[in-house]
Amino acid sequence: MSTTATITQTEQPTVTAQNILHLFPEINTQLAEQTANSATRDADLAGYDEEQIRLMDEVCIVLDENDMPIGSASKKVCHLMENINKGLLHRAFSCFLFDSQNRLLLQQRATEKITFPDLWTNTCCSHPLGIPTETGSTLEAAVAGTKRAAQRKLDQELGIKASQVPIDDFKFLTRIHYKAPSDGKWGEHEVDYILFIKADVDLDVNPNEVQDTKYVTPDELKQMFKEGQLQFTPWFKLICQTMMFEWWEHLDSGLEKYMNETEIRRML
């Protein structure tokens, strides 16, 4: 005896913007509008390196002045001086990696970088993305997100594997709010989370991100500033001109008193 199964075809809903927004009103439509002409079709990015153009589509966390997330926008939108001058502010991190000799790992940004190319800076500087694992409205959640972002970018820029920089080894010190132009078109306006980590790591540098690296002692870094032959990123100079060397002095003893600051340091 045989049986016959009848399969009933169900009509699939039409996937249109109107239908989706009706079903999911919580969707943020701004990013889709901002990136409609992204990548090589974007006149603002014409002539830049293709990989760096692609990274300009990443989603940054847009903030109010108290570091509360209010939405998301592309990296490109967040770094245009036209938008920065209107007050657009986003979240970032600056990671400082020290080896077992307490030397700080510096990097020189690649020529291909759209913002601040060729400048020397701290180990890794970037942004937590507007995704569940890297964002947060409370300070605790935001710190956790920036640590995950730092681990991700240390690998992407310098080839440092996550196993060599465990999340729990990152130390959060403070946040700085600063604004700095790169050129007439691009710049930074960030609440920047300062992270320290001590680890001996293996480097496999991504040349599209980093053109050189160097380990330095405090005295060597001070001499580099004094000689004036090299150019440094504005956020790195701000940090070094304020608390950096005091933090460094207490790297192995007493750093706890500088950690987990709740107030934002305004450096505008």
Side-chain angles (χ1 to χ4, degrees):
M1 182 176 178
S2 63
T3 59
T4 301
T6 301
I7 300 175
T8 303
Q9 297 286 342
T10 58
E11 185 177 350
Q12 296 298 311
T14 302
V15 181
T16 66
Q18 183 177 3
N19 287 346
I20 293 298
L21 290 174
H22 176 72
L23 292 169
F24 306 99
E26 69 273 20
I27 287 177
N28 177 2
T29 61
Q30 288 185 324
L31 183 64
E33 294 167 0
Q34 292 157 358
T35 59
N37 294 313
S38 64
T40 56
R41 301 185 303 277
D42 193 321
D44 285 320
L45 297 171
Y48 288 106
D49 176 80
E50 289 186 7
E51 176 62 14
Q52 293 299 318
I53 290 174
R54 185 188 67 79
L55 291 172
M56 279 296 199
D57 279 343
E58 290 184 336
V59 184
C60 292
I61 303 163
V62 176
L63 308 169
D64 69 12
E65 64 180 7
N66 295 313
D67 192 30
M68 288 296 294
I70 57 176
S72 60
S74 70
K75 183 178 175 183
K76 174 215 159 181
V77 168
C78 289
H79 289 81
L80 282 169
M81 281 305 301
E82 178 183 0
N83 298 331
I84 289 170
N85 289 333
K86 295 176 183 176
L88 192 62
L89 174 68
H90 63 277
R91 185 174 289 165
F93 71 84
S94 288
C95 178
F96 295 75
L97 185 147
F98 304 85
D99 67 6
S100 56
Q101 301 177 54
N102 284 358
R103 298 179 303 171
L104 172 63
L105 178 61
L106 304 182
Q107 68 153 278
Q108 184 183 18
R109 293 164 67 87
T111 302
E112 290 82 0
K113 299 287 284 186
I114 294 173
T115 59
F116 305 97
D118 301 315
L119 301 190
W120 283 87
T121 193
N122 48 284
T123 314
C124 182
C125 326
S126 192
H127 314 90
L129 302 181
I131 57 178
T133 56
E134 294 187 10
T135 190
S137 296
T138 67
L139 182 57
E140 181 181 9
V143 168
T146 56
K147 289 179 179 181
R148 294 187 189 101
Q151 189 183 64
R152 170 176 56 81
K153 290 297 289 186
L154 284 168
D155 187 4
Q156 190 259 329
E157 292 189 3
L158 294 160
I160 299 172
K161 299 308 176 187
S163 59
Q164 294 187 322
V165 284
I167 291 292
D168 291 343
D169 288 358
F170 287 93
K171 294 178 170 57
F172 165 66
L173 277 74
T174 189
R175 295 169 287 176
I176 67 169
H177 177 192
Y178 78 96
K179 179 164 65 174
S182 176
D183 55 22
K185 178 182 285 188
W186 307 102
E188 292 285 10
H189 186 206
E190 302 178 328
V191 173
D192 191 15
Y193 283 59
I194 310 303
L195 304 175
F196 274 22
I197 187 167
K198 188 170 178 178
D200 289 321
V201 297
D202 298 311
L203 300 180
D204 183 13
V205 173
N206 178 353
N208 190 256
E209 292 283 345
V210 178
Q211 62 177 290
D212 200 2
T213 59
K214 181 180 178 66
Y215 281 98
V216 295
T217 65
D219 288 341
E220 288 170 341
L221 181 55
K222 289 176 183 177
Q223 187 63 30
M224 290 169 70
F225 283 126
K226 184 178 179 180
E227 290 173 352
Q229 297 177 351
L230 302 177
Q231 292 185 304
F232 296 88
T233 59
W235 61 86
F236 183 52
K237 288 193 292 186
L238 275 173
I239 295 165
C240 288
Q241 289 165 357
T242 52
M243 293 295 294
M244 177 63 200
F245 292 102
E246 185 174 342
W247 292 333
W248 201 341
E249 183 180 351
H250 292 85
L251 186 61
D252 290 327
S253 178
L255 189 64
E256 293 79 10
K257 68 181 178 181
Y258 301 103
M259 290 167 52
N260 301 314
E261 284 190 354
T262 57
E263 297 296 318
I264 300 171
R265 294 174 178 255
R266 309 288 180 180
M267 298 184 179
L268 297 168

